Amino acid sequence: MFNNRVKIKTLLTGDALTGSEVIVMGWVRNFRNNQFIDLNDGSTNQNIQVVVALDLLDDATRKRITTGASMRVKGAVVPSLGKGQKVEVKASSVEILGDSDAEKYPLQPKKHSLEFLREIAHLRFRTNTFGAVFRIRHSLAFAIHQFFNEKGFIYLHTPIITASDAEGAGEMFRVTTLPTDNPPRNEDGSINYKEDFFGKSTNLTVSGQLEGELGAMAFSEIYTFGPTFRAENSNTTRHLAEFWMIEPEMAFYDLEDNMNLAESFIRHIIKYVVEHNYDDLEFLDRRLAEEEKQLPQDKRSEMGLLQKLEFVLNNDFERITYTEAIDILLASPAYKKKKFQYEVKWGVDMQSEHERYLVEKHFKKPVIVTNYPKDIKSFYMRLNDDGQTVAAMDILAPGIGEIVGGSQREERLDKLEERMEQMHIPAEEMSWYLDTRRFGTVPHAGFGLGFERIVLFVTGMTNIRDVIPFARTPKNCEF
Amino acid sequence: MFNNRVKIKTLLTGDALTGSEVIVMGWVRNFRNNQFIDLNDGSTNQNIQVVVALDLLDDATRKRITTGASMRVKGAVVPSLGKGQKVEVKASSVEILGDSDAEKYPLQPKKHSLEFLREIAHLRFRTNTFGAVFRIRHSLAFAIHQFFNEKGFIYLHTPIITASDAEGAGEMFRVTTLPTDNPPRNEDGSINYKEDFFGKSTNLTVSGQLEGELGAMAFSEIYTFGPTFRAENSNTTRHLAEFWMIEPEMAFYDLEDNMNLAESFIRHIIKYVVEHNYDDLEFLDRRLAEEEKQLPQDKRSEMGLLQKLEFVLNNDFERITYTEAIDILLASPAYKKKKFQYEVKWGVDMQSEHERYLVEKHFKKPVIVTNYPKDIKSFYMRLNDDGQTVAAMDILAPGIGEIVGGSQREERLDKLEERMEQMHIPAEEMSWYLDTRRFGTVPHAGFGLGFERIVLFVTGMTNIRDVIPFARTPKNCEF
């Protein structure tokens, strides 16, 4: 047995261990004055200070205490005289587990750009920024499972490989085992997908929603939490080819129930992180403030990170219809001064600049926009009585834009079939989906949350590649 | 707001609601004597009995109360005189939400074969068996997150699309956006993968372990829980092309620490299900007993499902080395009577028949086998001092075979490079992986658990296609 260490987080919280002999293990962040080691094990951003008496180690060993080296320290937990920590470890023995050549180790204790760290994504977990980001990402994921589990939702693993192309056609990754070089062909020269692994052409899923609805029609309330994919050639700070989505789907919910759930959901997971990761949030709050100092005044956030999260916890989201949103935009000074690049009129999809105006300038808080024109939304959204709009809802967040997209689903078979025909969705291939409307259909609703979007929102990071361990983007698939 | 129902599980547990007026919604499982509706909402396998007075509904409405129809019932919760339930709902109003044509609905209240239900996987969630299976699957998933979260592990989303082919080459799905029909080619006629979405040839991951190790070298303890893929043409009851894996990876762990963690992990998640899904387990226990009645005596399980789970909770796993396992097999009556189909000798991989003998006949409990010959294991497993074996561990379970495969990892750069060279693993492409050994390497270990395998074990189901919502197998990718 080797794993008899005390985690640094445990050491630093509570005084219970003061006076006792412990073993700590971790990686050297810094070694000062030949005496003070800042040791980190990833359980927290805080380092434990290990004090090494000058006569404890020979010179050769002391030279091996470099940034990035790993070690096993035995020592007594004593009150610290230094600033910033209550306790430190007075080493009685120090064993180097793994060296880290100071000439070669890229993570020397100085400030590195996020761009540089992205290129060494396999090492960036060892920095304060990414330590905080990925501990928060973990907490958000856990809070999501906890939220739904407590409400009795069933976690449903919807398929990743799918033959369905009801959504997102043209932006999907093909999954195949056919030889690229010389695939089998039919007599007419077309590719013979019958020879492919699944006997047909298959893709990576863009959403688990349709399968999620199948589960909701039996368990009432389900959610998915899995990877989804877009083969979209977008090199932006907001797009990934591979990202994680949460998609709850609920029988017996209408649009209002859906909004209520989404709002309490977002609040729950933020609250969880504020309660469990406060020191990481404080670090990121300071980091963001530092970053923004370099921006011109008008580009800076109105609120600090922690302030923003507290604000979301304590204020209801604004709820407006799409029609009201368009009216607000048309009446805005920005519109009158022709500051919007894209057209504003009823019937067109709002662009990022419009959403940001609503959220950041007009309401200054998250906004739920409902009842969009049917022509800019998906076939499965429930047609409202006006015949023109559907019972959709998007949640827009400051600095991020859309974080949730959802709707009440069209539960009426005839209306759904009509929409599918209008939108050229092949009904015969979707017979399994229509069965839910044929047999015991019920009012139901659901939404999708892009996980990385909420991690961006909660961490204050600005590039989506910095909140997923290993980003997949056009021409980029490292590690 | 539509969602003002009480869940049937809430109604049936505790007496708090007796006497009050409630709304319940769900699907009709059965309608007896024109008076008694068995209504189910998926929160539990138990139905609530809704009593409809003969004069409450007209004939036309009453005819619509068919199996599979959905309804909204308002009524008083009253003590039940019937068997099997403490309370029932005396309906004051019944509203049919969605009809279910008795002529067409495939799930009439009678016994259906699992094969038939597999073909209507979108509806099978509505049966008692699959209701129980997927509620248990949910609980297992939650228990996994809870176990690791409480221990301070970080949930790491390792990439699904990967360019790495260090493992499982030849059994991977290719991910591409190149046109199948006429892909771009280089001058020498080979496919020009530079034109592919990621600028290189990419695959679906077979394991998140290597990336998981990168996380463990910063956070000490991480785990993955995500989909993994094998393009293996195996049409068996144990193989899926798409399945979910849990892969914890821990710095500062040796093989013994690894075994201790795996054992307490398995025990924790089983305990959670026994505590939270007892009625579902009871149902599956009875189901299995019924199924096995049709088998000849010697093919039946020695223990019932619940008995088996209790046994695992209360008994330590057996721990033996591979060498001891071979010795036991060689000394076995089965070997002496030439009952094994495959060879038994030191150095060859054990086959299913050998593993089953050890687990089901010899030890009659889960067995952890350690220290396998290096030549039958992966390059990253730590070489033991004998130079012949590696610090691997497989956990074998009765009825399932291998449910966990793990090892202490080779943390010594020189030894790892030597193994990679011997096994023709391209070191230059794996430079990021080797960096963990270059900079602050530490003893570490990890394991992988096939999620569907443990769901099989806990539910007593025998075909892996019956424990994942929508199975992907050769020539099969429906829904």
Side-chain angles (χ1 to χ4, degrees):
Chain A
M1 206 178 92
F2 188 82
N3 183 37
N4 49 5
R5 72 188 170 111
V6 176
K7 288 194 184 187
I8 291 170
K9 185 177 181 178
T10 312
L11 264 184
L12 293 177
T13 51
D15 305 311
L17 289 165
T18 309
S20 55
E21 188 85 359
V22 297
I23 291 171
V24 288
M25 307 192 213
W27 292 268
V28 176
R29 283 287 173 88
N30 211 347
F31 183 35
R32 290 169 289 115
N33 299 342
N34 267 340
Q35 268 192 91
F36 303 108
I37 303 170
D38 293 331
L39 199 68
N40 190 286
D41 66 2
S43 60
T44 159
N45 259 356
Q46 316 297 322
N47 305 316
I48 185 81
Q49 177 164 289
V50 175
V51 186
V52 186
L54 286 170
D55 57 355
L56 185 70
L57 301 175
D58 55 39
D59 276 1
T61 307
R62 191 176 289 108
K63 283 211 175 95
R64 293 170 62 199
I65 305 177
T66 55
T67 298
S70 52
M71 55 173 52
R72 182 176 178 279
V73 175
K74 218 166 154 175
V77 183
V78 297
S80 177
L81 301 176
K83 267 202 303 188
Q85 69 260 335
K86 276 200 294 193
V87 294
E88 60 191 25
V89 171
K90 193 168 166 339
S92 57
S93 85
V94 168
E95 182 193 348
I96 310 278
L97 298 172
D99 291 286
S100 175
D101 186 337
E103 301 284 303
K104 292 178 182 157
Y105 188 56
L107 281 179
Q108 294 307 316
K110 58 163 194 150
K111 196 172 153 63
H112 301 281
S113 75
L114 295 178
E115 291 74 18
F116 169 72
L117 293 172
R118 234 168 268 150
E119 282 168 26
I120 51 165
H122 61 307
L123 298 175
R124 68 178 176 172
F125 299 124
R126 303 179 183 193
T127 64
N128 283 333
T129 297
F130 288 97
V133 165
F134 289 105
R135 274 189 299 272
I136 288 172
R137 186 179 164 112
H138 161 80
S139 287
L140 284 168
F142 185 74
I144 288 165
H145 286 297
Q146 186 193 56
F147 176 83
F148 288 121
N149 181 63
E150 279 173 7
K151 289 200 177 306
F153 282 56
I154 297 294
Y155 180 26
L156 199 73
H157 288 112
T158 49
I160 311 300
I161 302 175
T162 165
S164 152
D165 58 359
E167 284 194 283
E171 295 187 349
M172 294 168 92
F173 289 102
R174 203 169 50 258
V175 174
T176 181
T177 56
L178 289 181
T180 322
D181 210 41
N182 188 17
R185 291 180 189 265
N186 298 311
E187 280 186 14
D188 65 358
S190 62
I191 304 295
N192 182 4
Y193 285 107
K194 290 218 175 79
E195 297 278 308
D196 208 345
F197 188 89
F198 294 108
K200 55 172 92 169
S201 171
T202 52
N203 305 298
L204 288 179
T205 185
V206 296
S207 161
Q209 179 202 316
L210 303 189
E211 289 91 353
E213 287 186 51
L214 306 177
M217 293 303 115
F219 297 110
S220 298
E221 295 170 331
I222 66 93
Y223 71 107
T224 73
F225 189 163
T228 46
F229 305 86
R230 296 284 146 80
E232 206 178 329
N233 204 359
S234 307
N235 248 317
T236 79
T237 57
R238 293 184 185 200
H239 289 88
L240 292 167
E242 171 181 315
F243 55 100
W244 287 68
M245 284 252 282
I246 297 98
E247 298 182 284
E249 201 65 40
M250 299 76 64
F252 315 115
Y253 274 52
D254 64 13
L255 186 65
E256 190 189 348
D257 297 318
N258 203 21
M259 286 192 276
N260 292 344
L261 183 78
E263 197 171 331
S264 71
F265 168 66
I266 289 173
R267 215 168 267 138
H268 170 89
I269 63 178
I270 292 177
K271 187 154 177 275
Y272 183 93
V273 171
V274 170
E275 283 170 4
H276 290 80
N277 297 74
Y278 199 79
D279 57 342
D280 286 325
L281 286 173
E282 270 186 322
F283 173 84
L284 292 171
D285 182 86
R286 286 195 303 274
R287 184 195 161 278
L288 187 66
E290 284 292 322
E291 291 285 308
E292 294 206 335
K293 269 188 200 158
Q294 296 158 35
L295 297 176
Q297 192 81 39
D298 67 322
K299 299 271 178 195
R300 294 182 201 168
S301 308
E302 291 195 18
M303 288 186 225
L305 180 62
L306 279 165
Q307 204 185 357
K308 179 184 80 174
L309 298 179
E310 291 291 346
F311 182 83
V312 171
L313 289 181
N314 297 319
N315 288 277
D316 286 343
F317 296 4
E318 194 67 35
R319 297 182 182 193
I320 58 170
T321 65
Y322 167 87
T323 303
E324 288 164 348
I326 294 294
D327 287 346
I328 290 167
L329 292 172
L330 288 174
S332 69
Y335 179 79
K336 288 174 181 160
K337 290 182 193 154
K338 299 190 194 303
K339 287 209 173 156
F340 291 133
Q341 194 187 339
Y342 292 92
E343 189 183 28
V344 178
K345 78 172 186 192
W346 200 97
V348 303
D349 215 355
M350 283 190 279
Q351 299 294 319
S352 174
E353 58 178 352
H354 308 135
E355 295 178 348
R356 294 191 71 145
Y357 177 84
L358 288 172
V359 167
E360 290 163 25
K361 303 285 174 199
H362 190 85
F363 289 111
K364 297 175 193 268
K365 59 164 146 169
V367 175
I368 311 184
V369 183
T370 58
N371 299 323
Y372 284 78
K374 65 177 179 185
D375 292 335
I376 59 172
K377 287 290 182 184
S378 304
F379 75 92
Y380 49 70
M381 299 192 175
R382 192 178 197 277
L383 192 65
N384 287 326
D385 291 344
D386 62 18
Q388 296 305 314
T389 61
V390 287
M393 62 155 202
D394 282 359
I395 303 185
L396 313 175
I400 307 289
E402 186 194 319
I403 47 170
V404 162
S407 77
Q408 187 172 341
R409 314 308 187 190
E410 182 56 82
E411 88 280 14
R412 297 161 298 185
L413 181 64
D414 55 339
K415 297 259 194 292
L416 184 58
E417 286 180 326
E418 203 176 297
R419 274 314 274 155
M420 287 173 74
E421 203 181 320
Q422 284 165 8
M423 297 172 79
H424 308 292
I425 314 265
E428 37 322 338
E429 284 174 30
M430 301 281 290
S431 185
W432 50 270
Y433 182 67
L434 294 173
D435 271 358
T436 54
R437 277 63 172 177
R438 289 187 187 112
F439 305 117
T441 192
V442 299
H444 65 290
F447 61 84
L449 173 91
F451 186 51
E452 284 74 21
R453 294 271 174 99
I454 196 82
V455 183
L456 277 178
F457 183 75
V458 173
T459 59
M461 302 296 283
T462 51
N463 191 320
I464 201 161
R465 294 158 204 227
D466 294 333
V467 298
I468 192 166
F470 303 99
R472 268 73 182 106
T473 54
K475 306 294 173 205
N476 174 38
C477 186
E478 300 302 315
F479 312 105
Chain B
M1 205 179 93
F2 188 81
N3 183 38
N4 50 5
R5 73 188 168 110
V6 176
K7 287 194 185 186
I8 291 170
K9 185 177 180 176
T10 312
L11 264 183
L12 293 178
T13 50
D15 305 310
L17 290 164
T18 309
S20 56
E21 188 86 358
V22 296
I23 291 170
V24 287
M25 306 192 213
W27 292 269
V28 176
R29 284 286 173 89
N30 209 350
F31 184 34
R32 289 168 291 113
N33 300 341
N34 267 340
Q35 268 191 94
F36 303 110
I37 303 170
D38 293 330
L39 199 69
N40 190 285
D41 66 2
S43 61
T44 159
N45 260 356
Q46 316 296 320
N47 305 315
I48 184 81
Q49 177 164 289
V50 174
V51 185
V52 186
L54 287 170
D55 57 355
L56 183 72
L57 302 174
D58 56 37
D59 276 0
T61 308
R62 190 175 292 108
K63 282 214 176 91
R64 292 171 63 200
I65 305 176
T66 56
T67 298
S70 52
M71 54 173 53
R72 183 175 178 281
V73 175
K74 219 166 153 170
V77 184
V78 297
S80 176
L81 301 174
K83 267 204 300 189
Q85 70 260 338
K86 274 201 291 191
V87 294
E88 60 192 21
V89 171
K90 196 168 166 335
S92 57
S93 85
V94 167
E95 182 193 346
I96 309 279
L97 297 172
D99 292 286
S100 176
D101 186 337
E103 301 284 302
K104 292 179 183 157
Y105 188 56
L107 280 179
Q108 295 307 317
K110 58 162 194 151
K111 194 171 157 61
H112 300 282
S113 74
L114 295 176
E115 290 74 18
F116 170 72
L117 293 172
R118 235 167 266 152
E119 281 169 26
I120 52 164
H122 61 308
L123 298 175
R124 68 178 176 172
F125 300 124
R126 303 179 184 192
T127 64
N128 284 332
T129 296
F130 288 98
V133 165
F134 288 105
R135 275 190 298 274
I136 289 172
R137 186 180 163 111
H138 161 80
S139 286
L140 284 168
F142 185 74
I144 288 166
H145 287 296
Q146 187 193 53
F147 176 83
F148 288 120
N149 182 64
E150 280 175 6
K151 290 199 177 305
F153 282 56
I154 296 293
Y155 179 25
L156 198 74
H157 287 111
T158 49
I160 311 299
I161 301 174
T162 167
S164 152
D165 56 358
E167 283 195 282
E171 296 186 348
M172 294 169 94
F173 289 101
R174 203 169 49 256
V175 174
T176 182
T177 55
L178 290 181
T180 322
D181 211 39
N182 190 17
R185 290 177 189 268
N186 298 311
E187 281 185 14
D188 64 359
S190 61
I191 304 295
N192 183 2
Y193 284 107
K194 290 219 174 76
E195 296 278 307
D196 208 346
F197 189 89
F198 295 108
K200 57 171 92 166
S201 171
T202 51
N203 306 298
L204 290 179
T205 184
V206 296
S207 162
Q209 178 202 316
L210 302 189
E211 291 91 351
E213 287 185 52
L214 307 177
M217 292 304 115
F219 297 110
S220 300
E221 296 170 330
I222 65 94
Y223 71 107
T224 73
F225 189 163
T228 45
F229 305 85
R230 296 283 146 82
E232 205 178 328
N233 204 359
S234 308
N235 249 316
T236 78
T237 56
R238 293 185 184 198
H239 289 87
L240 291 168
E242 172 180 315
F243 56 99
W244 287 68
M245 284 252 283
I246 297 99
E247 298 182 284
E249 201 65 40
M250 298 77 63
F252 315 116
Y253 275 51
D254 63 14
L255 186 65
E256 190 190 347
D257 298 317
N258 203 22
M259 286 193 275
N260 292 345
L261 183 78
E263 196 171 332
S264 71
F265 168 65
I266 290 173
R267 215 168 266 139
H268 170 89
I269 63 179
I270 292 176
K271 186 154 177 274
Y272 183 93
V273 172
V274 170
E275 282 169 6
H276 290 81
N277 296 74
Y278 200 79
D279 57 343
D280 286 325
L281 286 173
E282 270 186 321
F283 174 84
L284 292 171
D285 182 85
R286 285 195 304 273
R287 186 197 159 276
L288 187 66
E290 285 291 322
E291 291 284 309
E292 294 206 335
K293 269 189 198 157
Q294 295 157 34
L295 297 177
Q297 192 79 41
D298 67 321
K299 298 271 179 195
R300 295 181 199 167
S301 308
E302 290 194 20
M303 289 187 223
L305 179 63
L306 279 166
Q307 203 186 355
K308 179 184 80 177
L309 298 178
E310 291 292 346
F311 182 83
V312 170
L313 289 182
N314 297 319
N315 288 278
D316 286 343
F317 296 4
E318 195 67 36
R319 298 183 182 191
I320 58 170
T321 65
Y322 168 88
T323 302
E324 287 164 348
I326 294 294
D327 287 345
I328 290 168
L329 291 172
L330 288 174
S332 69
Y335 180 78
K336 288 174 181 160
K337 290 181 194 156
K338 298 191 194 302
K339 286 207 174 157
F340 291 134
Q341 195 186 338
Y342 292 92
E343 190 182 26
V344 179
K345 76 171 186 193
W346 201 97
V348 302
D349 216 355
M350 282 190 278
Q351 299 295 319
S352 175
E353 57 178 353
H354 309 136
E355 296 178 347
R356 294 191 72 145
Y357 177 83
L358 288 171
V359 168
E360 290 164 24
K361 303 286 174 199
H362 189 85
F363 289 110
K364 296 174 194 271
K365 59 163 146 170
V367 174
I368 311 184
V369 183
T370 59
N371 300 322
Y372 284 77
K374 67 177 179 183
D375 292 335
I376 57 172
K377 288 290 181 184
S378 303
F379 75 90
Y380 48 71
M381 297 191 177
R382 191 178 198 276
L383 192 65
N384 287 326
D385 291 343
D386 62 18
Q388 296 305 315
T389 61
V390 288
M393 62 154 201
D394 283 0
I395 303 186
L396 313 175
I400 306 290
E402 185 192 320
I403 48 172
V404 162
S407 76
Q408 186 170 341
R409 313 310 187 191
E410 183 55 83
E411 87 280 13
R412 297 162 295 186
L413 181 63
D414 53 340
K415 296 261 193 294
L416 182 59
E417 287 179 325
E418 202 177 301
R419 266 326 264 152
M420 287 173 75
E421 203 182 319
Q422 284 165 7
M423 295 172 80
H424 309 292
I425 314 268
E428 35 327 334
E429 284 174 31
M430 301 282 290
S431 185
W432 50 272
Y433 182 68
L434 294 173
D435 271 358
T436 53
R437 276 65 171 176
R438 289 187 189 111
F439 304 118
T441 192
V442 299
H444 65 291
F447 62 84
L449 173 90
F451 186 51
E452 283 74 21
R453 294 271 173 100
I454 196 83
V455 183
L456 276 179
F457 184 74
V458 173
T459 59
M461 302 296 284
T462 50
N463 191 320
I464 202 162
R465 294 159 205 227
D466 293 333
V467 298
I468 192 165
F470 302 100
R472 268 72 181 106
T473 53
K475 305 297 173 202
N476 174 39
C477 185
E478 301 303 314
F479 312 105

